[in-house]
Amino acid sequence: MPPALPTYDDVVAAAGRIAGHAHRTPVLTARRIDEVFGARLFFKCENLQRMGAFKFRGAFNALSRFDAAQRQAGVIAFSSGNHAQAIALAARLLGLPATIVMPQDAPASKIAATQGYGASVRLYDRYTQDREQISRALAERDGLTLIPPYDHADVLAGQGTAAKELFEEVGPLDAFFVCLGGGGLLSGSALATRALSPRCKLYGVEPAAGNDGQQSFRSGAIVHIDTPRTIADGAQTQHLGQITFPIIRRDVDDILTVTDEQLIDAMRFFAERMKLIVEPTGCLGFAAAHALRSQLAGQRVGVLISGGNIDMARFCALLAP
C-alpha cells in the first residue's frame, strides 16, 4: 500500500511547531532584474535561514515530534550538507544526540558546521557506497530514528512553510520556481502553492547533469540515476522519493533543468546585484526563471533561494573570470 500523502494541513501544523525557532526569512526584490524581465520578481531568501538553508524547517518539525524514547536514543540522518547541519542544529536545540552520515567530499564548511552543532559525523564515498544502507544499519544497531533528507512526511511539511510564508507576504503568484533535489522542498512547496495560489504555475528546477526528476515527471515512474556530477551539491540526488514523487506529479506543472554555467551566472547576479551569498543549488530556481524571462513578462514571479552554504574559496573560484 502506498504511503499516505501529507496535506496542506500538515504544513500549517509544521508552521506552528517551528514558530519561534526557525527564522521567517525576508522576501527581497531587485529593481534591475524586474526591468530585465519586465516582470515583478520576489525572492524568498532561505539562504538567511538558521544554519543557512531551508532544511532547518523540516528537520526541526520532524525532531519536535519525537517521543521520549526516540529523544533519548537520538537521531541519524544522511546528507551532503544542509540536511546534516539542520538535523544537527535541531537536535542540539531539542537536547537529543545526532549522528550524521556525510560524503567525504562534502564541502569542508558543511562538515565543520555539522560537527560544530555537536553531531557525530560518519564519512562515506558517495560514488562507491550507499548512504541509505549505511544509515539504516547504524539506526538498527544503535536504536536511532532515521530522518531522511526529503522522503518523510514531517520533513516535507516543514519545508513547505517557506512557500506558505512567501504567499502570505506577497499574495498569489503567476509562476513559482523551486529548487529540486530529492523533492522535499518542491513537494512541500506544492502543497502550499495549491492551497494559497492555486492558479500559479509551479516549476521544479534541477541540474541538467542530474535530471532524474524531469525523467520521472515525464515518464510517470521514479527514475534512478548515478550520482550526478554538478556544482549543485545539494541536488546530487539519484531519485525522487515514494512520498515526494506523487505530490510532485500531481501538483507541479513542469520540471526544468539548468547547466552549471547558468548556476554560476546566477551566483554572480546574487552577489553583485543583491549582495547575497547563494550556493549553486540555491541558484537553480533563478537560473531557470532567467532562461524563461521572455515568457514571464508582465507576471508576478516567485523564486525560492534554498541556501547559502558554500566555502568562500570555492565561491571565489567559481566566480573568477
Side-chain angles (χ1 to χ4, degrees), residues 182-201:
L185 180 61
L186 181 58
S187 57
S189 297
L191 296 178
T193 301
R194 293 300 156 237
L196 301 177
S197 185
R199 296 183 180 180
C200 176
K201 293 289 187 181

Side-chain angles (χ1 to χ4, degrees), residues 9 13 20 45 59 61 65 86 98 119-120 141 146 163 182 217 235 261 286 319:
D9 287 342
C45 296
N61 184 51
R65 303 199 71 193
S120 173
R141 187 191 74 184
L146 174 62
F217 185 80
E261 290 72 20
F286 177 66
L319 295 192

Side-chain angles (χ1 to χ4, degrees), residues 156-212:
L156 75 86
Q159 318 306 28
T161 61
K164 177 179 180 291
E165 291 175 5
L166 173 64
F167 289 114
E168 287 173 345
E169 183 166 338
V170 306
L173 297 171
D174 298 302
F176 187 22
F177 294 82
V178 179
C179 312
L180 172 59
L185 180 61
L186 181 58
S187 57
S189 297
L191 296 178
T193 301
R194 293 300 156 237
L196 301 177
S197 185
R199 296 183 180 180
C200 176
K201 293 289 187 181
L202 177 60
Y203 301 100
V205 188
E206 61 188 348
N211 72 331
D212 61 292

